[in-house]
Amino acid sequence: MRFVYVVLFAFVLLTASLNSKAAAIILPGMQLSASIKTGADQTEKYLPYLKGKRVGILANPTSVIGKHNVHLVDSLLKLGIHIVKVFGPEHGFRGNASAGAHVADEVDSATGIPLISLYGSGKSKPSKADMADIDIMVYDLQDVGCRFYTNINALARLMEACAENNKELLILDRPNPNGYLIDGPILDMKLKSGIGMFPIPIAHGLTIGEFAQMVNGEGWLPNHLQCNIRIIPVANYNHNMEYTLPVKPSPNLNTQQSILLYPTLCLFEGTVISQGRGTYFPFAVLGNPDLKGYSFSFTPTSIKGMAETPLHMNNTCYGLDLRKYDVAALHKSKRLHIEWMIEMYKAYPYKEKFFDFKQSKEMGSIDKLAGTTAFKEQIIAGLSADEIRKTWEPGLKAYKEMRKKYLLYP
């Protein structure tokens, strides 16, 4: 009888093991973020390497580790790592600056470490003086997989500074929550700007570590500089996995819904349509005061730390409520949902004003956001989503082939 129990127990363990392995098979719609371990969380792989070195870190509020989401800088200090300065991107190191807001140099009140701003301060990369007392740089920012999300620009500029000053860059890789998506026109480099610096599609389908390899491999740094990079990859990660971020990546991407809608909805920054800035559900709604044919409405207001002067402030906007939109449909189609742009343009009564607008100096025109002048012209001409997407296919095909060389994950 005891033998039978032993056999049964072994069978249960085997079944559990098989089920565990089955859970690692990636299918659209599966929630598998619990199995993922970010590069930063794997401290055993890089702590010995940092010991005894003077460390500089580019970090923000997404740079967290452990079950309690403790900031990486705070954690490394407690573990005896000598951090000499921290660099902050858009929104600042502690994330208390609004989108596009000037971020000044300061001293971190929690740690006493000097904070060097790389956004809105006139400085886009660490200077030679900044790098003089640093032995190694660390990059740990959560990206969301879009060309116009500025973390990849911060990475490239940091790579440039490291290459110029002969410093190694340690990249603690994190999953791309939109990693399944590769779509949109390839940037026309004539439209290069702060929201589009590289010839990649709107949704690039790369992690930060993979993107760094692409920057080196394609020679995108000035004068074809090469940065000495070391990457701590994400464990148990696949590009087709769903990944729920432990903390919001920026003030206006405050829900998983907004993060997954962002690759499509950010294009509306180049139109008269609000994406909900000035509400507590940005990038989950669309609207304008002149779209009175829609029953859903919202009113943008000034919200400190999110949007002090949002588009259509204190005016009722009518349009689409996408807070409960089935984002699994986006995952399944693996496409930007440009049908919303077509719908909003058709519904808006003053067509000549729809694109003749930019919502902020930082975001720029629809041409810079889309990365091409053709997109605006195609919407105005009444092309269907499929017809527009067909014009992207040659560029996307070439990009996907090039992308294969730099992948760290399936």
Side-chain angles (χ1 to χ4, degrees), residues 54-254:
R54 297 171 298 174
V55 177
I57 296 182
L58 179 57
N60 70 4
T62 66
S63 311
V64 295
I65 62 174
K67 292 186 293 184
H68 302 293
N69 294 328
V70 178
H71 199 284
L72 177 70
V73 168
D74 301 328
S75 300
L76 292 183
L77 287 172
K78 289 180 180 178
L79 292 167
I81 300 302
H82 181 36
I83 301 173
V84 295
K85 62 192 67 168
V86 175
F87 298 87
E90 184 177 6
H91 306 295
F93 165 56
R94 295 290 181 183
N96 49 9
S98 299
H102 173 84
V103 181
D105 292 351
E106 57 183 334
V107 173
D108 182 40
S109 59
T111 63
I113 296 175
L115 303 180
I116 312 298
S117 173
L118 299 181
Y119 190 87
S121 61
K123 180 190 292 185
S124 62
K125 65 180 181 180
S127 66
K128 185 174 183 179
D130 292 332
M131 301 289 279
D133 60 349
I134 292 173
D135 297 318
I136 186 169
M137 280 294 308
V138 176
Y139 180 104
D140 182 34
L141 300 180
Q142 175 65 60
D143 195 52
V144 297
C146 296
R147 185 179 64 220
F148 34 61
Y149 199 71
T150 58
N151 284 357
I152 58 173
N153 300 346
L155 170 65
R157 289 169 178 144
L158 187 64
M159 290 176 65
E160 180 183 346
C162 287
E164 289 172 340
N165 293 279
N166 196 29
K167 307 290 184 180
E168 185 178 16
L169 177 60
L170 175 67
I171 297 172
L172 305 179
D173 211 7
R174 290 181 178 269
N176 176 355
N178 290 301
Y180 71 93
L181 184 61
I182 306 169
D183 201 21
I186 305 297
L187 174 69
D188 179 346
M189 293 301 283
K190 294 176 183 176
L191 294 168
K192 181 179 178 180
S193 72
I195 54 169
M197 291 178 56
F198 306 98
I200 59 177
I202 288 173
H204 53 66
L206 298 166
T207 67
I208 283 292
E210 292 171 327
F211 184 78
Q213 294 194 138
M214 183 179 286
V215 169
N216 265 346
E218 296 302 308
W220 287 344
L221 294 180
N223 302 314
H224 299 284
L225 287 169
Q226 292 288 299
C227 179
N228 180 15
I229 59 175
R230 180 185 294 256
I231 301 168
I232 306 298
V234 183
N236 308 316
Y237 175 64
N238 182 298
H239 278 290
N240 204 39
M241 280 184 170
E242 290 188 10
Y243 177 66
T244 301
L245 274 62
V247 295
K248 60 187 178 183
S250 55
N252 285 290
L253 291 180
N254 59 352

Side-chain angles (χ1 to χ4, degrees), residues 255-262 264-266 268 273-276 281-287 294 296-298 319-328 330 337 339-341 343-344:
T255 65
Q256 186 72 1
Q257 189 80 351
S258 66
I259 292 166
L260 298 178
L261 291 172
Y262 178 76
T264 294
L265 296 199
C266 191
F268 285 92
I273 304 297
S274 166
Q275 319 82 48
F281 37 86
F283 293 101
V285 295
L286 293 171
Y294 289 88
F296 170 70
S297 66
F298 61 93
L320 298 175
D321 183 358
L322 303 174
R323 285 174 290 179
K324 294 184 179 179
Y325 178 78
D326 182 10
V327 288
L330 295 177
H337 197 77
E339 287 83 355
W340 289 323
M341 182 70 74
E343 177 183 343
M344 292 284 99

Side-chain angles (χ1 to χ4, degrees), residues 343-386:
E343 177 183 343
M344 292 284 99
Y345 179 78
K346 287 181 178 178
Y348 188 68
Y350 310 109
K351 303 269 188 297
E352 70 282 0
K353 296 180 180 179
F354 189 84
F355 290 117
D356 188 20
F357 187 81
K358 58 183 181 182
Q359 294 188 26
S360 71
K361 181 180 179 181
E362 290 73 26
M363 291 313 300
S365 67
I366 185 64
D367 293 341
K368 289 182 179 179
L369 282 162
T372 174
T373 59
F375 181 69
K376 175 177 68 177
E377 296 165 358
Q378 291 164 338
I379 297 292
I380 293 172
L383 271 63
S384 69
D386 285 342

Side-chain angles (χ1 to χ4, degrees), residues 394-405:
L396 283 172
K397 182 179 180 181
Y399 170 77
K400 289 176 181 177
E401 190 62 32
M402 181 264 284
R403 171 180 173 269
K404 292 177 183 177
K405 296 184 289 183

